[in-house]
Amino acid sequence: MNTLLGGLVFGMLFGFLLQRGRVVWYDMQVGTLRFKDMTIVKFMFSSILVAMVGVEILYSAGLASRQILPVNLWAIIVGGLVFGLGWSLIGY
């Protein structure tokens, strides 16, 4: 239960930061897709770097383990198609 609560709290914090950084605004996303505004790219790159450092700290402290999971290619393809379909339906 603590893991779920922690995930919920960090998810809400991440969503709050996305909103505060204006990353979820329509104009920002269209600007990124047109290669005119790289704010979203920078935000996601910094998020990945923070996650990498956080996982390494947790691993060093013995609180997490490194796992390389097998790739389910069909799940990735279907997920990408659903994601793209959703974007096309809302008008991006």
Side-chain angles (χ1 to χ4, degrees), residues 11-82:
M12 290 174 66
L13 179 64
F14 187 67
F16 175 76
L17 292 174
L18 286 173
Q19 183 64 32
R20 290 290 296 163
R22 299 183 312 238
V23 175
V24 295
W25 289 7
Y26 175 80
D27 295 335
M28 190 76 64
Q29 292 184 8
V30 170
T32 299
L33 291 172
R34 293 180 178 171
F35 299 111
K36 292 183 179 179
D37 187 1
M38 292 290 120
T39 303
I40 293 176
V41 175
K42 292 183 230 176
F43 185 87
M44 292 310 295
F45 184 68
S46 62
S47 298
I48 291 169
L49 286 177
V50 168
M52 288 171 57
V53 170
V55 167
E56 187 59 34
I57 290 171
L58 290 173
Y59 177 74
S60 298
L63 298 173
S65 63
R66 293 184 184 145
Q67 296 179 2
I68 299 175
L69 301 175
V71 175
N72 186 347
L73 190 58
W74 286 111
I76 294 171
I77 291 171
V78 170
L81 288 173
V82 170

Side-chain angles (χ1 to χ4, degrees), residues 80-92:
L81 288 173
V82 170
F83 185 77
L85 180 65
W87 270 51
S88 65
L89 289 175
I90 62 171
Y92 279 107

Side-chain angles (χ1 to χ4, degrees), residues 1-18:
M1 184 64 181
N2 288 336
T3 303
L4 290 176
L5 187 60
L8 177 66
V9 169
F10 280 108
M12 290 174 66
L13 179 64
F14 187 67
F16 175 76
L17 292 174
L18 286 173

